[in-house]
């Protein structure tokens, strides 16, 4: 491998002249990302535009500071960070604040997607990629399309790269061996990053995708390209450079079409990175027709606003998805036009005025940095303030009536003044244990001698409102184990007993539960035991739903799960614990919370409606009820509490009772649903377990 520093001298290097084709490349990258985010099937690899941006950022940032006059890490860092703050943060802060406001107005604090606000807050500090990686949801999961801040992960990666850039680049300014040292550091970092990315995608692909260690090699590649080009003065190029540039452009375009999520960022991003590197290198060597194509007026204009367009297109698309939808030609066209208008406003009235302000240029660099940091802090405070006042400013029914909608329901009791049963959170070997116990009651409650234990996933915690009220009514303590999205005895083995992570969580919960449970206690086991007809983001096909219930694989899996359930419950039956299984509740094809307001009722996700025939649902329920009957035959003391008749008393099951929602989404109970079931649940347990 030849050194990129061949011919290095100690003489200072002149800045590279502006090249319009760089903006043209930016335009291709941002348009690819925009099309992919608008409708992924149109350009399946369009997300690779971000990888093109990473290479361009490394190259352009290196070239932009070539004119720095001075020595020393401190002076260079001040110069570099002042420039980066003026370039990145004004437009970012404005975008985040406006997004926070419109999110508060139009996006409910949707259950199971509360990570949105956290992502937005950390985006001010260049740390949103950590939140996204921690959430466990990959970039290609449907839920990420409803987080208005998902796109800030790439900005966070760049900002984290800039933290170490001066340390690795400062030696370059010294010339001679310093340039070799700087190039060597970037080469070593790039190799280490590529190795990490290739290793991490096997065990933690979400972290590999979102976090800077897996992306450093792409930005470093751009820096190394600059360091190579900077010392090779432009020469009349041979015709072969035109052919190679065309091949490199085809490689970039192929990446936009052929890239797939598997293997990203390494080796998946190699096409996009190699094509971008090759294109810049070749076009630097020879001016030809590709200069004119990529440097045409339209592409250059889009390239110049590419940063603002990248910032604004995503929250616009997300807000459309939450409100009127983004499925029709009209809504897609409106969303794109609005994104471009906001980008133009941002570019002309936010980006440029500050970057080119003579007053800002005269400010000492340390002061520029301090002012920038203060602006970031104030922006994050403003976003947090907006979120705290969401309930009072939101247009959404969910924000104005959270007790009716959200499963946590009411925290106080109308019958027992002063009482509160909000949960106490405990760690159970890495899992979550919520303890519901009446506190602060003005009139003392009679202490119960038996308690209620619950273990399951989000469908178990969807009874939270009921648990709180039940604790305040009876004086019983409720121990609810939430197993990180994992069900317990779901009769769908692929969700629990065949899932190693879920098995680990379940065993940890059971170990803690065994230390607390005693004869006479109740073990309540709610779970989603039928296949979903829809989730928060879309409807599943009839074929897929039927396959999960009636296929030979499903029947065999249910039989195997039934045997495992008997073995799991046998020890509790022997301990004289009252085991209660929850009968399957109704399911629906549209999520009520997505269709509750004037601005989202016409969203295409609402079209399947909120009514299903009782007979159709009974068809999906029957295999579960048959499995329950087999369990009861082997363990006669196991009981079934079935809320289905209470939630569906007519021939048509509805997600609404009068004007109030029984369900939050297609299968999780609402706060009102909890309130409706409470008296029946209490009466059933009192009759079943009896006494205190």
């Amino acid at each position: 491998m030849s050194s990129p520093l061949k011919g290095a001298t100690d003489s200072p290097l002149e800045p590279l002249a502006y090249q319009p084709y760089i903006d043209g490349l930016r335009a291709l990258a941002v348009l690819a990302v925009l099309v992919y985010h608008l409708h992924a099937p149109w350009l399946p690899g369009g997300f690779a535009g971000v990888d093109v941006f990473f290479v361009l950022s490394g190259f352009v940032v290196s070239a932009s500071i070539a004119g720095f006059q001075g020595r020393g890490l401190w002076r260079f860092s001040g110069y570099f960070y002042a420039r980066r703050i003026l370039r990145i943060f004004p437009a970012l802060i404005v975008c985040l604040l406006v997004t926070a406001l419109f999110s508060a107005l139009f996006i409910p604090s949707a259950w199971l997607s509360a990570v949105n606000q956290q992502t937005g807050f950390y985006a001010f500090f260049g740390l949103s990629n950590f939140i996204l990686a921690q959430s466990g949801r990959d970039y290609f999961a449907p839920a990420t399309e409803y987080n208005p801040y998902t796109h800030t992960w790439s900005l966070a990666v760049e900002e984290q790269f800039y933290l170490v850039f001066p340390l690795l680049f400062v030696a370059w300014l010294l010339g001679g061996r310093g340039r070799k040292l700087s190039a060597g550091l970037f080469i070593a970092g790039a190799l280490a990053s590529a190795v990490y990315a290739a290793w991490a995608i096997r065990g933690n692909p979400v972290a590999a995708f979102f976090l800077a260690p897996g992306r450093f090699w792409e930005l470093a590649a751009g820096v190394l390209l600059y360091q190579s080009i900077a010392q090779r003065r432009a020469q009349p190029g041979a015709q072969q450079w035109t052919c190679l540039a065309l091949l490199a452009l085809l490689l970039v375009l192929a990446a936009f079409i052929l890239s797939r999520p598997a293997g990203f960022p390494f080796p998946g991003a190699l096409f996009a990175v190699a094509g971008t590197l090759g294109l810049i290198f070749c076009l630097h060597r020879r001016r030809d027709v590709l200069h004119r194509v990529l440097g045409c007026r339209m592409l250059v204009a889009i390239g110049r606003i590419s940063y603002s367009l990248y910032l604004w297109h995503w929250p616009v698309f997300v807000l459309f998805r939450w409100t009127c939808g983004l499925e029709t030609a009209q809504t897609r066209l409106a969303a794109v036009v609005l994104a471009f208008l906001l980008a133009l406003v941002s570019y002309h009235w936010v980006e440029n005025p500050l970057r080119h302000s003579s007053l800002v240029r005269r400010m000492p660099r340390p002061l520029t940095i301090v002012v920038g940091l203060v602006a970031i802090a104030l922006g994050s405070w403003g976003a947090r303030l907006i979120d705290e006042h969401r309930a009072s400013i939101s247009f959404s029914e969910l924000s104005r009536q959270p007790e009716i909608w959200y499963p946590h329901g009411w925290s106080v009791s109308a019958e027992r003044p002063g009482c509160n049963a909000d949960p106490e959170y405990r760690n159970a070997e890495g899992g979550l244990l919520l303890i519901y116990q009446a506190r602060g009651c003005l009139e003392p409650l009679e202490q119960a001698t038996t308690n209620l234990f619950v273990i399951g996933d989000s469908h178990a915690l969807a009874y939270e409102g009921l648990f709180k009220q039940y604790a305040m009514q009876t004086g019983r303590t409720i121990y609810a184990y939430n197993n990180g999205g994992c069900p317990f005895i779901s009769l769908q083995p692929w969700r629990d007993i065949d899932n190693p992570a879920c098995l680990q969580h379940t065993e940890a919960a059971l170990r803690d539960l065994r230390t607390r449970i005693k004869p006479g206690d109740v073990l309540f086991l709610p779970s989603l035991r039928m296949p979903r007809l829809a989730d928060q983001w879309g409807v599943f096909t009839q074929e897929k739903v039927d396959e999960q219930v009636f296929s030979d694989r499903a029947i065999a899996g249910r039989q195997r799960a039934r045997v495992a359930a008997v073995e799991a419950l046998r020890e509790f039956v022997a301990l004289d614990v009252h085991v209660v299984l929850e009968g399957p509740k109704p399911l629906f094809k549209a999520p009520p919370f997505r269709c509750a307001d004037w601005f989202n009722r016409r969203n295409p996700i609402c079209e399947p409606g909120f009514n299903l025939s009782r007979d159709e649902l009974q068809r999906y329920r029957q295999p579960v009820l048959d499995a329950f009957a087999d369990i009861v035959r082997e363990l006669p003391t196991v009981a079934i509490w079935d809320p289905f008749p209470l939630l569906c008393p007519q021939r048509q099951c509805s997600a609404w009772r009068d004007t109030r929602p029984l369900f939050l989404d297609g299968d999780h109970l609402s706060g009102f649903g909890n309130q409706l079931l409470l008296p029946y649940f209490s009466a059933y347990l009192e009759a079943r377990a009896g006494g205190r």
Side-chain angles (χ1 to χ4, degrees):
M1 177 178 176
S2 62
S3 168
L5 296 173
K6 183 178 179 180
T9 67
D10 289 337
S11 60
L13 300 175
E14 296 179 2
L16 297 180
Y18 168 74
Q19 299 290 342
Y21 74 83
I22 294 291
D23 276 326
L25 262 177
R26 284 194 179 112
L28 291 182
V30 76
L31 290 175
V33 172
L34 185 148
V35 171
Y36 176 79
H37 288 158
L38 189 66
H39 188 55
W42 287 348
L43 196 63
F47 62 89
V50 173
D51 303 280
V52 174
F53 271 124
F54 282 154
V55 177
L56 288 171
S57 293
F59 179 81
V60 172
V61 167
S62 301
S64 70
I65 48 84
F68 174 70
Q69 300 295 322
R71 291 177 179 268
L73 178 60
W74 176 252
R75 289 186 178 180
F76 175 58
S77 297
Y79 173 78
F80 177 76
Y81 290 131
R83 288 172 62 92
R84 288 293 88 199
I85 284 174
L86 288 174
R87 177 70 181 95
I88 293 173
F89 283 102
L92 177 61
I93 292 171
V94 171
C95 181
L96 291 176
L97 282 172
V98 173
T99 301
L101 175 60
F102 279 83
S103 296
L105 293 175
F106 293 103
I107 300 179
S109 300
W111 195 44
L112 303 180
S113 58
V115 72
N116 291 9
Q117 286 76 27
Q118 194 178 17
T119 308
F121 176 75
Y122 280 91
F124 284 94
F125 304 99
L127 299 172
S128 58
N129 59 333
F130 285 99
I131 303 302
L132 293 166
Q134 187 179 24
S135 74
R137 299 174 187 164
D138 67 47
Y139 179 77
F140 309 97
T144 62
E145 294 185 347
Y146 292 84
N147 183 341
Y149 307 102
T150 296
H151 68 314
T152 62
W153 75 270
S154 61
L155 301 177
V157 167
E158 289 197 29
E159 290 166 41
Q160 291 157 28
F161 174 79
Y162 296 148
L163 289 177
V164 300
F165 178 86
L167 293 173
L168 304 180
F169 198 85
V170 66
W172 177 264
L173 303 174
L174 302 176
R177 292 182 179 178
R179 293 173 187 163
K180 293 181 179 180
L181 174 61
S182 177
L185 291 173
F186 279 107
I187 290 171
L191 291 174
S193 170
V195 170
Y196 166 80
W199 169 79
I201 59 173
R202 301 176 184 176
N204 193 349
V206 175
F209 188 96
F210 282 125
L211 298 185
R215 297 290 185 164
F216 180 93
W217 67 279
E218 301 180 51
L219 289 136
V223 177
L224 290 166
L225 176 64
Y226 161 76
Q227 291 180 332
S228 174
I229 286 178
Q231 298 187 95
R232 289 182 170 93
R233 292 298 122 204
Q235 302 171 4
Q239 186 65 35
Q240 68 217 38
W241 292 113
T242 299
C243 297
L244 290 174
L246 182 59
L247 287 175
L249 178 60
L250 291 175
L251 196 60
V252 171
L253 298 178
F256 294 160
I257 298 169
L258 302 176
S259 293
R260 295 297 181 270
F264 258 78
F266 190 88
L270 277 175
F271 271 23
V273 172
T276 307
L277 291 172
L279 192 55
I280 297 173
F281 187 82
C282 293
L283 292 183
H284 178 75
R285 303 284 295 181
R286 176 184 176 86
R287 299 189 64 85
D288 56 18
V289 65
L290 280 183
H291 275 270
R292 294 192 295 274
V293 171
L294 292 175
C296 73
R297 183 175 299 178
M298 180 178 295
L299 284 181
V300 169
I302 295 173
R304 285 177 174 169
I305 67 168
S306 59
Y307 174 55
S308 283
L309 184 58
Y310 181 80
L311 280 179
W312 283 103
H313 85 281
W314 180 257
V316 167
F317 290 1
V318 170
L319 283 164
F320 267 73
R321 289 191 179 100
W322 275 110
T323 54
C324 59
L326 196 61
E327 286 79 15
T328 67
Q330 294 86 348
T331 54
R332 286 169 176 160
L333 178 61
V336 171
V337 169
L338 180 58
F340 269 92
L341 288 175
L342 290 170
L344 287 168
V345 169
S346 174
Y347 177 74
H348 288 292
W349 283 285
V350 180
E351 280 191 60
N352 279 349
L354 283 173
R355 288 173 63 192
H356 303 303
S357 166
S358 58
L359 175 63
V360 172
R361 287 184 176 183
R362 290 196 299 269
M363 286 174 57
R365 289 163 190 161
L367 180 59
T368 301
I369 294 172
V370 169
V371 170
L373 294 177
V374 170
I376 293 168
L378 290 175
S380 65
W381 173 78
R384 181 64 61 89
L385 197 63
I386 291 170
D387 188 51
E388 289 175 355
H389 290 82
R390 174 182 295 265
S392 61
I393 66 173
S394 177
F395 296 148
S396 172
E397 290 291 330
L398 277 76
S399 298
R400 292 200 294 266
Q401 300 185 74
E403 297 86 0
I404 292 289
W405 280 94
Y406 295 114
H408 53 69
W410 283 265
S411 297
V412 296
S413 172
E415 300 173 359
R416 301 186 182 278
C419 275
N420 183 289
D422 283 333
E424 174 189 350
Y425 296 90
R426 296 276 186 89
N427 185 296
E429 296 188 37
L432 181 62
L433 168 61
L434 297 92
I435 302 176
Y436 300 89
Q437 190 173 36
R439 305 178 186 86
C441 301
L442 299 182
E443 297 180 4
L445 285 175
E446 182 182 348
Q447 291 299 311
T449 58
T450 59
N451 297 314
L452 174 63
F453 289 81
V454 184
I455 180 171
D457 57 4
S458 60
H459 289 81
L461 289 191
Y463 281 101
E464 182 171 8
L466 183 150
F467 294 153
K468 289 193 282 193
Q469 295 296 321
Y470 183 72
M472 290 186 285
Q473 284 183 4
T474 65
R476 284 194 172 94
T477 299
I478 300 169
Y479 299 88
Y481 295 86
N482 181 250
N483 290 309
C486 299
F488 181 58
I489 308 185
S490 72
L491 301 180
Q492 299 169 319
W494 57 91
R495 296 182 62 213
D496 43 28
I497 62 177
D498 293 343
N499 186 322
C502 283
L503 274 179
Q504 182 179 354
H505 278 298
T506 298
E507 286 302 319
L510 288 173
R511 281 193 294 272
D512 189 86
L513 184 149
R514 291 183 185 111
T515 66
R516 301 174 187 272
I517 203 165
K518 61 186 182 301
D521 287 341
V522 177
L523 179 58
F524 177 47
L525 301 175
S527 180
L528 178 66
R529 297 186 171 96
M530 297 194 302
R532 279 190 166 114
L533 306 181
D535 60 13
Q536 298 184 51
W537 327 116
V539 181
F540 303 133
T541 64
Q542 187 75 39
E543 293 76 13
K544 180 177 180 180
V545 174
D546 284 352
E547 191 275 334
Q548 293 185 59
V549 181
F550 303 113
S551 67
D552 292 340
R553 174 179 172 270
I555 294 170
R558 198 158 45 242
Q559 173 63 18
R560 184 161 54 87
R562 182 195 64 78
V563 173
V566 170
E567 291 306 309
L569 297 178
R570 196 181 299 279
E571 67 168 298
F572 298 107
V573 170
L575 188 60
D576 197 23
V577 168
H578 299 283
V579 177
V580 179
L581 296 169
E582 176 212 35
K585 300 185 295 296
L587 304 174
F588 299 94
K589 294 183 178 181
F593 86 96
R594 293 282 313 276
C595 311
D597 300 298
W598 58 267
F599 53 80
N600 58 25
R601 290 192 183 114
R602 295 186 180 273
N603 193 302
I605 200 170
C606 309
E607 290 177 1
F610 305 97
N611 297 291
L612 281 176
S613 75
R614 187 183 179 111
D615 290 342
E616 182 179 353
L617 289 172
Q618 192 63 33
R619 176 171 169 260
Y620 293 121
R621 274 169 43 89
Q622 196 57 51
V624 177
L625 297 177
D626 292 343
F628 281 179
D630 291 339
I631 293 172
V632 173
R633 272 192 288 272
E634 295 192 52
L635 302 173
T637 61
V638 171
I640 314 298
W641 179 67
D642 192 358
F644 186 87
L646 305 169
L647 296 169
C648 181
Q650 308 295 330
R651 296 189 64 178
Q652 283 287 111
C653 300
S654 174
W656 304 81
R657 183 67 51 86
D658 299 325
T659 60
R660 291 176 290 185
L662 292 172
F663 289 83
L664 176 68
D665 53 24
D667 43 66
H668 291 92
L669 283 170
S670 68
F672 174 68
N674 274 264
Q675 184 184 22
L676 178 73
L677 294 179
L678 174 63
Y680 301 97
F681 180 81
S682 300
Y684 181 87
L685 288 195
E686 290 304 305
R688 180 74 189 174
R692 291 185 177 273

